[in-house]
Amino acid sequence: GVRFPGAEDIPSGFAALDNLPGMVWAQMIATWTMMEAANQDQYEGPWGTNQNALGESPAEFKGDFRNGFIDFGWDKLSADQKMRKRAIELNQGRAAQMGILGLMVHEKLGNVANFFLLISKK
């Protein structure tokens, strides 16, 4: 897989937490910070404070990062359809979190390699 520069010899899973050099932690935190800053609602400051002259945010809800450039038909949906789509997205995120949690549990149990053997036998 793709590795951060300087982290080529770091093991995977929970063992990585004890073996990460400080520079790798700094790179990861800098990356997370830049992604958060780039994806925030530019009309509002942190925690919902409006401290600029851009006016009111066009976002319909927290997490609405549409920029008016790409439209997949969201504006044409009814309010019920929008709520259904948002509920589907939340449930898919929850399912992904449960999948990651399952991998974490099986890594601690020591049998996560069994799952990857099943995948590699195809």
Side-chain angles (χ1 to χ4, degrees):
V2 177
R3 301 278 181 143
F4 280 97
E8 293 85 4
D9 298 329
I10 304 297
S12 61
F14 288 115
L17 297 176
D18 295 331
N19 294 307
L20 286 179
M23 200 60 206
V24 174
W25 281 108
Q27 288 174 350
M28 288 191 313
I29 291 170
T31 301
W32 296 332
T33 303
M34 289 177 8
M35 288 189 298
E36 284 293 323
N39 288 314
Q40 72 173 341
D41 188 347
Q42 299 298 321
Y43 286 81
E44 294 185 10
W47 304 286
T49 59
N50 192 353
Q51 300 173 348
N52 57 40
L54 295 174
E56 291 298 317
S57 173
E60 290 183 32
F61 51 88
K62 289 287 184 189
D64 180 8
F65 298 119
R66 293 176 294 139
N67 59 6
F69 179 68
I70 298 175
D71 181 21
F72 293 108
W74 180 260
D75 293 329
K76 296 178 183 84
L77 298 176
S78 69
D80 288 340
Q81 289 173 316
K82 288 180 182 181
M83 287 304 289
R84 183 174 183 278
K85 296 273 187 189
R86 288 175 61 193
I88 289 170
E89 182 68 20
L90 283 171
N91 285 331
Q92 289 174 345
R94 290 174 182 144
Q97 290 172 7
M98 291 297 103
I100 294 296
L101 180 62
L103 284 173
M104 292 166 62
V105 167
H106 284 284
E107 181 182 348
K108 282 299 192 184
L109 292 174
N111 62 356
V112 75
N114 297 339
F115 296 108
F116 293 114
L117 287 175
L118 293 173
I119 294 171
S120 64
K121 288 182 181 180
K122 290 183 179 180

